[in-house]
Amino acid sequence: MPAAAVPVAPPPARRPPLTLRRGVTGALVTALVAALLALVPAPAAEAAPVLLSQGRPATASSQENGGTPAAAAVDGNPGTRWSSSFSDPQWLQVDLGGPAAVSQVVLRWEAAYAKAYRIELSTDGTNWSTAHSTTTGAGGTETVPVTGTARYVRMHGVTRATGYGYSLWEFRVYGNGDGGPVLPGGGDLGPNVHVFDPATPGIQAKLDEVFRQQESAQFGSGRHAFLFKPGTYHNLNAQIGFYTQIAGLGLRPGDTTINGDVTVDAGWFNGNATQNFWRGAEGLTLNPVSGTNRWAVSQAASFRRMHVKGGLNLAPDGYGWASGGYIADSKVDGQIGNYSQQQWYTRDSAIGGWSNSVWNQVFSGVEGAPATGFPEPRYTTLATTPISREKPFLYLDGNEYKVFAPAKRTNARGTTWANGTPQGESIPLSRFYVVKPGATAATINRALAQGLHLLFTPGVYHVDRTIDVNRANTIVLGLGLATIIPDNGVTAMRVADVGGVRLAGFLIDAGAVNSPTLLEIGPQGAAADHAANPTTVQDVYIRIGGAGPGKATTSMVVNSDDTIIDHTWVWRADHGDGVGWETNRADYGVRVNGDDVLATGLFVEHFNKYDVEWYGERGRTIFYQNEKAYDAPDQAAIQNGTTKGYAAYRVDDSVNTHEAWGLGSYCNYNVDPGIRQDHGFKTPVKPGVKFHSLLVVSLGGMGHYNHVINETGASTVPAGTSTVPSTVVSFP
């Protein structure tokens, strides 16, 4: 965060499918049978088989064309398929990732099916045994019981039923992955989730108690979530400290009203709000006591689905320093007072007005936003957000907890809830494994393998192996800034190249042993088209050092196409414990290899080399905030060949199309103020690569930039110690 600012008042074409067979159902259940069955003692319940194959690596003997890969048969999407070349024999196999007790295979054929085929099992991928064989395959959906232990399962087609190849919409393998117990979904939310209704006594006292614990606990282990059931609450002032989330449990913000305030201020830090990190507010309507609510935050502090019936002040009491934040899907009836906020991003909201601009205020899809004025006033405004899908959230449907997964919007403007119930899907909590402190990575992965989503309750979780999210449409949702720490140098979380995964509301904290990566979205070489159902990463924060020694070579790698990064702070710590040029070494922040990736609200700071590197085509960024590493010991430490310094945001020379709006990079080389950075931004000069509203700032003259982007833009040296931005309106 800035420390020295001066406050101022389409998919590939396919062969058309043949006419599909339709199954005939003829089950007749009579009242008499039902009555008789009611008298028969129920058998002991047996655990249902677990879907093991979805999202796992799949290979095949051939594929018909580029739009029908093997992976399409195990992606959980009923509209995608694998199809082979038009010859016999052909096979499709899936790697379950480890030995499993296999009990059932489901084949959902397209019209081109197998008349004769075998289901084969293998533990090594070389030696195979036959678990099922038929010469009378019927097509449609075939459910095949099998018995055996295998890591690899194969459909071996012997004879085709048509002149085409073999074609499977879905190839599903069920069983028990590791012999452990089947885990239940749902359950209580643990001791650090505080649920209130309007009749709950002592709400203010509980809010105050937790705030006393969390107000200055910047690197503490406490984690809390305050959840308010629908209703109206009076005379509350919820002061929100570190690792604290406050949220309404209604489907719409208007379901839960607080006649009072949800406050963030900076008294703990002498009126300086530049370290008010890691907190959030969601899903509430506020009637502020004074008419204006105070929300003086910096990075990693989201304000989502909020309705403020009044104004919103983003500065601390006394208008001291403040360093950026994020608003989405919210309505503020009155004016938002930006005051000393150096940078801010507001998305898909409605506001009554906005005052002041410091360095970098960006809006997309915001009704009432000021017009673009960059470089003065420093507003960058897009009428719509090209693609957005709001963060999933917990709510109450009557007395039942559910998670709502909002629908994707294109060219979005305004809130999702202005016209009533938002669009999306409700998922019962019974379909989530509720993760509580003490849960192991093995247990978490077993829950995922069973087909459960994850709800992390507030706490700190050490994992000794990677959390593998392999199933399409999986939700991983954290409450109260739940924190995952990888031990022994593992990657904390990986997502397969599947569609619709939603990661939201948690912090990944690097461990003491270097991890090559901390979060991976898709494997290397991922190429599936997810435009219709993208993966989203929302309010997911990454930290290296600060809470103790931590190291990671690259923090976040995005390989999957069409991924949406919607508000993240990826931070190599500049203060706290375990901080030093080599102590919390982290060379790269975010690397994007996937195509058509969109970042809305990207905060990446202090990495030893490149903060952001972009290799994918057609990438877009709306709002970027960066600081170069404060603690570079000298010019030689950041020398990049013949270039002085590593760019804050680099687009690779191979990229032909890229566009970004509202980007800022700041330097504060406080160990060696003589350091020079050739530029903040580096990009190929091509017609399809465009940048809008860029700036670089030397904080108090502690180091300087020679240019803004490439060799364009004035040096910050003429401003001396005045902390005045050098700007470029558009490039090239």
Side-chain angles (χ1 to χ4, degrees):
M1 77 297 153
V6 178
V8 289
R14 296 179 178 165
R15 168 177 60 82
L18 301 173
T19 303
L20 297 176
R21 292 173 179 258
R22 295 183 179 273
V24 178
T25 58
L28 179 62
V29 180
T30 66
L32 176 60
V33 172
L36 290 173
L37 289 175
L39 300 175
V40 178
E46 295 184 2
V50 175
L51 177 59
L52 303 174
S53 55
Q54 192 159 301
R56 293 292 183 181
T59 53
S61 54
S62 66
Q63 67 183 60
E64 180 185 355
N65 58 56
T68 60
V74 294
D75 64 1
N77 184 343
T80 61
R81 64 187 175 95
W82 163 74
S83 61
S84 74
S85 60
F86 302 173
S87 63
D88 293 318
Q90 301 289 338
W91 52 263
L92 170 75
Q93 74 182 45
V94 61
D95 178 359
L96 303 179
V102 179
S103 60
Q104 186 182 91
V105 173
V106 176
L107 306 163
R108 197 167 76 80
W109 296 101
E110 197 237 3
Y113 66 97
K115 181 178 179 181
Y117 67 89
R118 300 191 299 269
I119 301 298
E120 298 177 331
L121 309 180
S122 174
T123 57
D124 58 9
T126 301
N127 301 295
W128 296 88
S129 62
T130 299
H132 174 80
S133 180
T134 184
T135 58
T136 57
T141 299
E142 296 185 80
T143 300
V144 180
V146 295
T147 301
T149 298
R151 172 173 175 170
Y152 303 89
V153 181
R154 182 162 74 181
M155 187 289 297
H156 187 104
V158 178
T159 306
R160 290 167 292 140
T162 73
Y164 297 107
Y166 300 85
S167 183
L168 281 164
W169 293 109
E170 289 291 311
F171 179 52
R172 295 180 175 176
V173 179
Y174 292 85
N176 190 344
D178 61 3
V182 173
L183 298 169
D188 71 89
L189 300 177
N192 294 326
V193 175
H194 314 283
V195 181
F196 304 129
D197 64 42
T200 301
I203 297 176
Q204 186 66 57
K206 188 63 179 180
L207 293 169
D208 292 345
E209 175 193 345
V210 171
F211 180 66
R212 285 192 295 271
Q213 298 169 16
Q214 301 301 119
E215 180 184 10
S216 59
Q218 182 172 178
F219 299 111
S221 59
R223 304 289 186 272
H224 294 271
F226 294 116
L227 304 181
F228 286 76
K229 294 182 180 181
T232 301
Y233 300 78
H234 299 286
N235 303 317
L236 294 181
N237 180 20
Q239 299 180 84
I240 306 301
F242 286 100
Y243 313 109
T244 303
Q245 175 191 21
I246 185 169
L249 285 171
L251 191 56
R252 297 159 297 270
D255 296 338
T256 309
T257 297
I258 292 178
N259 292 320
D261 297 84
V262 172
T263 302
V264 178
D265 206 344
W268 74 277
F269 201 46
N270 300 316
N272 179 342
T274 59
Q275 293 184 23
N276 279 352
F277 313 139
W278 303 305
R279 62 200 76 199
E282 302 181 35
L284 294 165
T285 292
L286 303 179
N287 285 303
V289 171
S290 69
T292 298
N293 190 77
R294 186 184 302 279
W295 185 256
V297 297
S298 288
Q299 291 82 0
S302 64
F303 198 80
R304 293 181 180 269
R305 294 184 302 106
M306 297 288 287
H307 184 186
V308 181
K309 292 186 173 181
L312 187 65
N313 184 345
L314 303 181
D317 187 25
Y319 302 96
W321 301 339
S323 179
Y326 172 92
I327 293 172
D329 201 24
S330 294
K331 182 179 181 183
V332 178
D333 294 349
Q335 179 171 270
I336 296 180
N338 183 74
Y339 302 115
S340 54
Q341 279 290 353
Q342 295 153 341
Q343 63 277 317
W344 196 280
Y345 177 50
T346 307
R347 178 181 63 72
D348 299 350
S349 295
I351 64 176
W354 188 278
S355 75
N356 199 46
S357 67
V358 179
W359 294 338
N360 190 27
Q361 278 68 37
V362 179
F363 310 83
S364 68
V366 178
E367 299 168 354
T372 294
F374 196 88
E376 191 60 50
R378 293 187 175 93
Y379 297 140
T380 304
T381 301
L382 286 72
T384 61
T385 304
I387 305 169
S388 61
R389 190 175 66 185
E390 299 302 331
K391 176 184 172 183
F393 59 90
L394 188 69
Y395 80 104
L396 274 174
D397 184 2
N399 292 319
E400 182 183 6
Y401 282 110
K402 294 181 178 179
V403 170
F404 189 76
K408 188 186 81 168
R409 297 198 292 169
T410 57
N411 298 318
R413 183 173 174 84
T415 70
T416 61
W417 45 270
N419 297 319
T421 302
Q423 299 298 303
E425 178 188 8
S426 290
I427 304 166
L429 190 62
S430 59
R431 290 172 54 190
F432 284 76
Y433 177 61
V434 179
V435 190
K436 297 174 184 173
T440 65
T443 300
I444 293 166
N445 281 333
R446 184 185 306 140
L448 289 167
Q450 286 180 204
L452 294 171
H453 305 278
L454 300 178
L455 180 73
F456 279 87
T457 64
V460 178
Y461 300 84
H462 284 264
V463 295
D464 60 358
R465 66 186 74 178
T466 300
I467 297 172
D468 289 310
V469 182
N470 294 317
R471 189 181 71 258
N473 302 310
T474 299
I475 296 173
V476 180
L477 177 61
L479 299 179
L481 280 295
T483 301
I484 301 168
I485 302 175
D487 294 331
N488 304 320
V490 302
T491 295
M493 187 176 294
R494 286 195 184 98
V495 178
D497 193 22
V498 296
V501 172
R502 303 173 192 238
L503 310 181
F506 57 89
L507 169 66
I508 295 174
D509 210 351
V513 178
N514 185 76
S515 293
T517 57
L518 293 172
L519 175 63
E520 295 181 17
I521 309 299
Q524 185 175 359
D529 182 353
H530 303 302
N533 189 22
T535 285
T536 50
V537 182
Q538 301 176 286
D539 298 352
V540 173
Y541 312 124
I542 295 177
R543 178 173 67 193
I544 302 94
K551 292 185 178 182
T553 304
T554 306
S555 290
M556 182 191 301
V557 179
V558 180
N559 292 315
S560 287
D561 294 349
D562 308 293
T563 300
I564 299 172
I565 306 169
D566 178 46
H567 189 227
T568 186
W569 186 37
V570 182
W571 184 58
R572 175 182 167 265
D574 62 279
H575 62 273
D577 293 332
V579 171
W581 185 247
E582 296 295 342
T583 305
N584 61 328
R585 182 84 192 187
D587 283 350
Y588 308 105
V590 175
R591 180 174 293 152
V592 179
N593 298 316
D595 294 337
D596 301 292
V597 172
L598 171 65
T600 52
L602 185 60
F603 299 72
V604 186
E605 297 189 298
H606 302 306
F607 285 85
N608 296 74
K609 293 184 178 180
Y610 291 116
D611 298 279
V612 171
E613 294 182 282
W614 212 293
Y615 294 89
E617 286 289 354
R618 298 175 299 280
R620 290 176 289 187
T621 294
I622 305 173
F623 182 89
Y624 175 65
Q625 185 266 325
N626 165 263
E627 285 183 343
K628 295 305 299 174
Y630 290 175
D631 56 343
D634 50 40
Q635 187 73 52
I638 61 165
Q639 191 67 21
N640 182 15
T642 59
T643 302
K644 294 185 173 83
Y646 291 82
Y649 186 110
R650 182 180 79 87
V651 179
D652 191 70
D653 288 345
S654 64
V655 173
N656 294 308
T657 306
H658 188 91
E659 193 160 12
W661 298 261
L663 301 93
S665 178
Y666 325 130
C667 72
N668 181 39
Y669 288 118
N670 57 20
V671 176
D672 180 0
I675 289 176
R676 294 294 181 266
Q677 179 90 17
D678 270 347
H679 42 236
F681 305 92
K682 178 69 170 66
T683 181
V685 181
K686 298 179 181 180
V689 179
K690 302 174 183 177
F691 283 77
H692 314 273
S693 302
L694 304 102
L695 62 88
V696 294
V697 181
S698 169
L699 302 179
M702 304 294 281
H704 282 284
Y705 296 88
N706 292 333
H707 301 286
V708 179
I709 181 167
N710 292 2
E711 282 70 51
T712 298
S715 170
T716 58
V717 172
T721 61
S722 299
T723 314
V724 175
S726 176
T727 62
V728 169
V729 175
S730 63
F731 183 88

